[in-house]
Amino acid sequence: MAYLVAVDSGHGMETAGKRTPKLTQDLVINGQTVRRAGDEIHEKEWNKAVAEALMSALNRCGIDTVNVSPDTYDVALSTRVATANNAGADIYISEHYNAAKGVWWDGGYFVAFYSQYASEATKRLAAAVCAEQAKVVPWPSNGYVTDVSYGQGKLYVLRHTTMPAVLFETGFMDVWESATRMLDPAFVQEVAEAQCRGICNYFGVGYVAPDGSATAPAPEPEPKPEPELPPTIRKGSSGAWVKKLQELLLSLGYVLPRYGADGDYGDETYYSVRLFQEVNGLVVDGICGPKTWAALQNGGKGPTWPTLHKGDRGEFVRYMQYRLNYHRVAVDIDGIFGAKTQAGVILFQKAHCSMVDGIPGAETWGLLKGC
Ligand SMILES: [Zn+2]
């Protein structure tokens, strides 16, 4: 039985937005004026052309296709998905052309999206097609990424299809160099053939070129390695991950006055991690494990240095006690602001501060945090 590919050509011709800014000059392709200055190109024009070219290329290779968004109106996302699911398609390909600013800008790239929850098969499909498509797009390729990678939110067709699904943003509609390729039949054909070669490689099917010449199926591409997860690190750890932790702490306003980001997880780092954990509502243990890493990398809060009073408890007190010891005022580091700690604060203030009151506020903190 032949493989079946569902092809989605995104949007409708009149879907709001989904078009280039007004062209700043006539667009001439192969000596013919195909669009006038002041006109626009609709994303659907590209999507439909490349989808149709892809379907005929796949058919040539003996692969069946189902067009889930035929014609030029905007087929509901749920209908596109239902058509593919009901047909029992093996894979789902969605064609798009990106936009970033809605006014002309320079830059742009090719990128493919798959669901954040995609299977290994989906990643293999994305890898196989991106490898071929990157060869024919004349701008950089950002490869394949999850559908939440650019903060753009979840992509419906990727999450509701029951088969591996990948969405391709071949170029940018609001980048002139890339927009002007949307109506170029040679470029449409090149991209469709590249995608077809990738899909053939994914299925292990021989690719048949437009001239009838056949190519044996390519060996499976190597799957992209998953990004390395940060390890759990603690006092005594050292190396690049410790340095990364220290840099994150410093960027959030924690202080490492003695050694900075030196890659060694000593007391400075340990007490700062404890402080970070308290400030961010985490379990306070001074160990940087998965939850602490996640908080550090996803907008963790920095410290607001409080005025401390006798009787206070917690990590700010503990941190102050550590800093007192650092400045050669010996107090217990127990997180409890008792009489001995207050005597230590007074000793420190007498040596360094203009105000001696046993209540560490802005001036005392400023000096305690220094070297
Ligand atoms: Zn689109």
Side-chain angles (χ1 to χ4, degrees), residues 9-11 18 43-44 47 94-99 167-169 173:
S9 59
H11 317 302
K18 311 302 177 193
E43 184 183 350
K44 182 68 171 181
N47 296 353
S94 185
E95 303 289 359
H96 287 261
Y97 227 73
N98 224 330
L167 185 151
F168 296 91
E169 299 276 9
M173 290 187 287

Side-chain angles (χ1 to χ4, degrees), residues 273-282 284 313-316:
V273 168
R274 292 188 65 106
L275 201 53
F276 173 82
Q277 289 171 325
E278 180 173 272
V279 167
N280 288 276
L282 300 161
V284 177
R313 288 169 177 250
E315 292 310 313
F316 279 99

Side-chain angles (χ1 to χ4, degrees), residues 5-311:
V5 177
V7 181
D8 166 11
S9 59
H11 317 302
M13 197 65 90
E14 299 309 326
T15 306
K18 311 302 177 193
R19 62 199 69 190
T20 64
K22 291 198 187 314
L23 302 187
T24 51
Q25 60 191 76
D26 289 358
L27 177 57
V28 181
I29 293 173
N30 301 330
Q32 274 195 303
T33 304
V34 295
R35 207 63 38 114
R36 292 282 176 198
D39 289 347
E40 297 159 334
I41 304 168
H42 295 233
E43 184 183 350
K44 182 68 171 181
E45 296 181 80
W46 161 267
N47 296 353
K48 188 169 189 294
V50 77
E52 285 169 357
L54 173 62
M55 287 188 282
S56 68
L58 289 168
N59 294 159
R60 188 198 314 128
C61 300
I63 295 171
D64 291 338
T65 50
V66 52
N67 186 350
V68 303
S69 52
D71 214 328
T72 54
Y73 62 92
D74 200 338
V75 176
L77 295 169
S78 56
T79 306
R80 296 182 217 169
V81 166
T83 306
N85 290 352
N86 293 338
D90 293 292
I91 62 169
Y92 187 102
I93 301 290
S94 185
E95 303 289 359
H96 287 261
Y97 227 73
N98 224 330
K101 310 195 175 181
V103 293
W104 298 110
W105 61 288
D106 288 325
Y109 47 83
F110 156 70
V111 69
F113 292 106
Y114 59 88
S115 159
Q116 168 182 31
Y117 305 112
S119 64
E120 287 307 310
T122 306
K123 292 176 198 171
R124 278 199 298 112
L125 171 64
V129 181
C130 286
E132 292 300 318
Q133 193 163 349
K135 293 178 191 166
V136 300
V137 289
W139 39 83
S141 168
N142 280 12
Y144 53 103
V145 298
T146 73
D147 62 341
V148 291
S149 296
Y150 290 77
Q152 80 280 28
K154 303 145 186 165
L155 295 172
Y156 185 95
V157 299
L158 302 181
R159 290 173 177 240
H160 293 85
T161 40
T162 52
M163 71 290 305
V166 183
L167 185 151
F168 296 91
E169 299 276 9
T170 291
F172 275 80
M173 290 187 287
D174 45 11
V175 171
W176 180 264
E177 204 240 329
S178 146
T180 55
R181 302 262 181 165
M182 294 170 75
L183 299 178
D184 179 350
F187 186 60
V188 169
Q189 180 81 27
E190 258 190 312
V191 169
E193 296 300 329
Q195 291 182 345
C196 181
R197 285 195 301 277
I199 291 167
C200 285
N201 290 342
Y202 169 75
F203 285 139
V205 168
Y207 167 73
V208 181
D211 66 5
S213 60
T215 319
E220 269 188 17
E222 287 293 315
K224 191 169 101 171
E226 292 293 318
E228 203 187 334
L229 290 173
T232 294
I233 49 178
R234 64 193 78 223
K235 201 161 145 179
S237 298
S238 61
W241 284 110
V242 176
K243 192 160 188 298
K244 175 80 186 160
L245 160 66
Q246 291 166 328
E247 284 166 354
L248 286 166
L249 287 169
L250 289 168
S251 75
L252 291 170
Y254 297 88
V255 292
L256 304 167
R258 179 87 186 268
Y259 299 110
D262 65 350
D264 283 324
Y265 203 135
D267 281 342
E268 267 197 350
T269 304
Y270 171 76
Y271 289 111
S272 291
V273 168
R274 292 188 65 106
L275 201 53
F276 173 82
Q277 289 171 325
E278 180 173 272
V279 167
N280 288 276
L282 300 161
V283 172
V284 177
D285 59 7
I287 298 170
C288 188
K291 286 181 183 162
T292 301
W293 274 117
L296 278 163
Q297 292 174 325
N298 298 309
K301 284 191 289 234
T304 309
W305 307 96
T307 298
L308 294 174
H309 299 87
K310 196 172 161 192

